[in-house]
Amino acid sequence: MGLENVFEQFPILETERFYLRKLTTEDAPEMFSYFSQDDVTKYYNLESFTHRQQAIDLIEKFNLGFIERRQIRWGAELKETGRVAGTCGFHAIDAKNFKAEIGYELHPDYWGKGIMPEIVKEIVAFGFEKMDFNRIEAMYDPRNEQSGKVLIKSGFQYEGTLRKRYFEKGQFVDAAIASIIKIP
């Protein structure tokens, strides 16, 4: 398919429990419900939401990234309820080097149920098969042990920790890096 073809129309993916689809402003209430929780934003480079408009703005930012061919972020819609439980996708797409960074978040009601590895594996497969990536990497706060576990369950390998890599919420924080490589 190739990277350029991916951006012609937003791809819809499916896992056992989820439809992975384009976010719409109708998803703002669900996104606000989890982005307004400090447990969700604790390791995220943004403050907890206080207004629903912030969720709308983030959805529009994700969708603009797709239009500009810089990122692709899927909403994870639960098949059983039709509600968005989180998002996952690629940013920092580097076509020249056949790689991208993956990111995700999930409503705390669904933590610990194997959901994010299910979603990540599907999106990684799409990245390798349809976007021609050779490498997909993830940067996460090493204190966020759950995120590290999600990546390992999804086939990523921990590569190391970059000391004081980011300045977030008034302090320098480390960034762990993990990656998965396309197997020929």
Side-chain angles (χ1 to χ4, degrees):
M1 179 179 266
L3 195 56
E4 285 303 310
N5 294 332
V6 166
F7 291 104
E8 289 177 10
Q9 181 176 341
F10 199 96
I12 298 171
L13 308 178
E14 186 175 349
T15 72
E16 183 181 333
R17 296 178 279 184
F18 290 88
Y19 294 113
L20 305 175
R21 58 154 175 87
K22 182 179 179 179
L23 291 160
T24 71
T25 54
E26 292 175 7
D27 300 316
E30 282 88 13
M31 286 186 70
F32 177 78
S33 76
Y34 61 81
F35 270 115
S36 61
Q37 298 184 42
D38 292 340
D39 284 347
V40 173
T41 62
K42 182 175 183 178
Y43 302 112
Y44 214 95
N45 190 21
L46 54 82
E47 298 294 330
S48 296
F49 289 176
T50 56
H51 304 286
R52 189 169 289 172
Q53 184 61 44
Q54 292 168 291
I56 293 169
D57 293 345
L58 185 58
I59 290 167
E60 290 174 349
K61 178 182 173 188
F62 286 155
N63 289 337
L64 180 63
F66 179 79
I67 291 167
E68 293 177 347
R69 299 170 183 246
R70 292 182 289 106
Q71 72 178 35
I72 182 168
R73 192 75 169 214
W74 285 270
E77 177 186 308
L78 276 159
K79 288 179 178 179
E80 121 186 349
T81 65
R83 298 181 66 167
V84 169
T87 75
C88 183
F90 299 120
H91 56 276
I93 294 173
D94 181 351
K96 179 183 173 193
N97 291 299
F98 299 90
K99 68 182 183 109
E101 188 174 330
I102 196 167
Y104 48 82
E105 84 287 326
L106 187 66
H107 193 292
D109 288 353
Y110 304 104
W111 289 358
K113 298 180 180 182
I115 287 172
M116 198 46 72
E118 174 184 333
I119 292 167
V120 168
K121 286 176 186 176
E122 184 66 27
I123 289 175
V124 164
F126 183 85
F128 287 148
E129 295 166 14
K130 304 296 185 189
M131 299 181 81
D132 295 330
F133 293 143
N134 182 62
R135 174 185 170 91
I136 298 169
E137 54 193 29
M139 303 279 257
Y140 61 98
D141 190 314
R143 297 171 297 174
N144 188 350
E145 294 175 9
Q146 285 307 111
S147 190
K149 288 177 183 178
V150 163
L151 294 166
I152 298 304
K153 286 179 184 175
S154 302
F156 284 68
Q157 289 185 321
Y158 169 78
E159 294 183 339
T161 298
L162 306 172
R163 298 176 301 143
K164 308 299 181 198
R165 173 76 161 91
Y166 296 111
F167 188 75
E168 295 177 353
K169 300 178 182 173
Q171 65 180 343
F172 290 100
V173 295
D174 295 345
I177 185 166
S179 73
I180 188 168
I181 306 298
K182 184 177 185 175
I183 298 174

